[in-house]
Amino acid sequence: MTGIVGIVVILVMVFGGYIAAGGKMGIILHALPFEMIIIGGAAVGAFIISNDGAAVKQTLKDMGKVFKGVRWKGQDFQDLLCLLFELIKIARQNPVELEGHIENPHESAIFSKYPKIQHDHAAVDMICDTFRNATMNYDDPAQVEEVLDKQLDAEKHHALHSSHAMQQIADGLPALGIVAAVLGVIKTMASIDQPPAVLGALIGGALVGTFLGVFLAYGIMGPFAARVKTVCEADHQFYVLIREVLVANLHNHAPNICIEVGRQNTPHAVRPSFNAMDEALRNTKGAAA
């Protein structure tokens, strides 16, 4: 929603200010389709050249994050802590029972309580793999934390690729706008024998190219890239939380302490309060009983 509001504000302020200052939209509207073909087409072509098919599809998909926002909300972080609490409790009390949950999480009664998490392959794999490795005595906290850090870094690098690709296009749009403007000047020079009114319209149309390139770069594509990066980094904290709790578990802290470590490492904007988390864990215990 905020993405749509931002775009509306940009358009209203830029073109509203232009019209209020006495500018005429006719020359812009006349030149806009042709300048957009040159600038937009060149930008799309450059984007395709610099990225493979998978990256192109992922970037187009990730552009939706500008409007959808972050995937993981405050309730999801609380649900994750409750899920990990249940798994840690079972791992301490009945490791054999745990095996059924981590080997087939999509049919697990515990994972099924939290369907949004259950359908996220990255989160489920991270949780299950770490618990599975612990059952095979790969439970040194420092080593496991190092492995999880590398996994998280790789996932974050992949997630941010869309943002980097969009920023590259944003960086190139002003130059493409100049290309369009130069072509407009060439066109104008071919009509140098025309009266000043005609030449003025032609020069104005050429300058639309420069305007459009800069406007798209700093008013649309640049903010899109920044927003996608912000959303990816915010969603990444969900997986960082998994690491914090699982490593705390390998240090053999009490289950409640493991969850409190995770809660305190949750971003402030989505962090459940101590009382809310305590009540959620009590409800989890009651359901288990």
Side-chain angles (χ1 to χ4, degrees):
M1 183 62 184
T2 56
I4 296 176
V5 172
I7 292 174
V8 171
V9 170
I10 290 171
L11 294 175
V12 170
M13 292 297 103
V14 171
F15 292 103
Y18 171 72
I19 294 173
K24 305 298 182 182
M25 288 295 295
I27 190 170
I28 293 179
L29 295 176
H30 175 74
L32 188 62
F34 309 105
E35 302 296 330
M36 183 62 79
I37 290 173
I38 296 171
I39 299 171
V44 170
F47 173 66
I48 294 173
I49 291 172
S50 58
N51 296 278
D52 58 24
V56 170
K57 292 179 181 179
Q58 187 62 41
T59 302
L60 294 175
K61 178 181 177 182
D62 285 349
M63 289 183 75
K65 293 180 179 179
V66 174
F67 309 102
K68 295 178 181 178
V70 296
R71 178 183 182 187
W72 303 110
K73 314 297 184 183
Q75 184 61 48
D76 298 320
F77 281 86
Q78 180 171 303
D79 289 345
L80 174 62
L81 291 172
C82 291
L83 167 64
L84 293 172
F85 176 77
E86 291 193 64
L87 293 175
I88 292 172
K89 289 276 289 183
I90 293 175
R92 303 283 179 88
Q93 298 172 357
N94 191 351
V96 175
E97 181 183 351
L98 176 68
E99 184 176 346
H101 295 290
I102 63 176
E103 293 301 332
N104 197 358
H106 297 292
E107 294 184 7
S108 163
I110 294 178
F111 279 95
S112 296
K113 296 179 185 178
Y114 315 99
K116 188 174 180 180
I117 301 174
Q118 186 183 36
H119 290 101
D120 186 80
H121 297 294
V124 171
D125 289 346
M126 186 182 227
I127 294 170
C128 294
D129 288 346
T130 304
F131 274 111
R132 187 182 299 110
N133 291 338
T135 64
M136 297 185 293
N137 295 325
Y138 185 69
D139 56 359
D140 180 83
Q143 291 181 341
V144 172
E145 185 171 14
E146 181 180 0
V147 170
L148 292 177
D149 280 340
K150 291 180 178 178
Q151 181 180 341
L152 288 171
D153 287 343
E155 292 288 343
K156 184 177 181 180
H157 177 77
H158 177 73
L160 290 176
H161 180 79
S162 298
S163 173
H164 296 323
M166 283 187 273
Q167 187 59 53
Q168 285 181 329
I169 297 301
D171 293 341
L173 280 170
L176 294 176
I178 294 175
V179 170
V182 170
L183 291 175
V185 171
I186 294 173
K187 175 186 174 184
T188 302
M189 296 304 293
S191 304
I192 197 67
D193 58 338
Q194 298 297 314
V198 175
L199 291 176
L202 291 173
I203 293 173
L207 291 176
V208 170
T210 302
F211 157 74
L212 189 60
V214 175
F215 175 75
L216 291 176
Y218 297 105
I220 303 295
M221 191 57 66
F224 267 48
R227 177 60 174 167
V228 169
K229 180 180 180 181
T230 299
V231 171
C232 288
E233 289 178 340
D235 284 340
H236 181 70
Q237 294 304 311
F238 190 80
Y239 306 99
V240 172
L241 177 58
I242 296 175
R243 180 199 63 191
E244 295 297 331
V245 175
L246 294 180
V247 171
N249 174 53
L250 295 178
H251 281 288
N252 290 317
H253 296 313
N256 282 32
I257 298 300
C258 295
I259 300 308
E260 180 58 18
V261 169
R263 190 191 72 82
Q264 292 184 11
N265 281 280
T266 302
H268 187 269
V270 290
R271 181 188 304 162
S273 67
F274 178 85
N275 290 333
M277 195 69 244
D278 184 60
E279 181 179 355
L281 294 181
R282 289 178 184 275
N283 292 336
T284 298
K285 293 176 184 177

